[in-house]
Amino acid sequence: TAIDLGVHRFVGVAAGSNHACGLNVSGEVICWGERSAGAVGDCQNDQFGTDYVTVKKQLPNNETSTLRHVRSIASYNQTTCAVTQAGLVYCWGASDTGLRERDAPANCATQPAQEQLQSIENVSVGDQFICARSTTGSIFCWGRNQELQLGSRIDEQCMPNESTSCSRIPRLIDIPSSSSTIATGKAACAQDN
């Protein structure tokens, strides 16, 4: 089915369960589809819109601005993350099991763990967890850890009254730092050079 996305020229695309996002040549992210859980990242609470929208980021003063200078995007289910040219990670959409900072709005692009996630090369969104690879080849993962997706046992519980193991803090994965590619789904894999 052809989707009318205006005059945008895209260099990348990522699809979640019921939404998709495209990275245009200007470095902006355009999303469309189901808007529940903030999956389109426009900082609006409109659950019923049908048009494509430009992803916005949350500023410290609760204002918003367009997320710019993005070089790559990745999606899974209702969560999407982007990496900027400066190597920063922004995520929006579903936030259960520690995917973003506590109280971060789901419908805006926000930075998880700003201090730890610097100089990031690429990001991969899995089933309730996220992994990011730095320019030095180190891999950090955070979110759900019920099946040890984060590479080691973690006793932290991110959801009140639930026994789901997870981490809001990106954990350094103990593998050789020469890994060049990461892929996630229900599990995570890294490809060595």
Side-chain angles (χ1 to χ4, degrees), residues 77-145:
N77 283 345
Q78 296 173 314
T79 303
T80 300
C81 292
V83 179
T84 67
Q85 296 291 348
L88 303 176
V89 176
Y90 285 86
C91 298
W92 59 94
S95 178
D96 24 335
T97 62
L99 295 183
R100 285 193 319 283
E101 298 291 330
R102 193 176 307 278
D103 300 325
N107 57 2
C108 285
T110 55
Q111 288 181 264
Q114 298 176 39
E115 301 80 21
Q116 292 177 285
L117 297 176
Q118 302 285 325
S119 302
I120 299 301
E121 185 71 26
N122 55 35
V123 66
S124 184
V125 182
D127 185 14
Q128 299 181 51
F129 74 106
I130 300 167
C131 293
R133 179 186 165 273
S134 74
T135 54
T136 62
S138 298
I139 295 176
F140 299 89
C141 297
W142 68 99
R144 180 185 169 97
N145 194 46

Side-chain angles (χ1 to χ4, degrees), residues 37-53:
V40 297
D42 64 349
C43 296
Q44 301 295 317
N45 291 318
D46 177 12
Q47 297 278 332
F48 304 105
T50 57
D51 292 336
Y52 64 87
V53 296

Side-chain angles (χ1 to χ4, degrees), residues 153-170:
R153 295 205 177 277
I154 295 169
D155 293 328
E156 182 181 348
Q157 296 176 359
C158 296
M159 301 298 290
N161 305 320
E162 288 192 24
S163 60
T164 300
S165 171
C166 67
S167 176
R168 292 181 184 279
I169 302 166

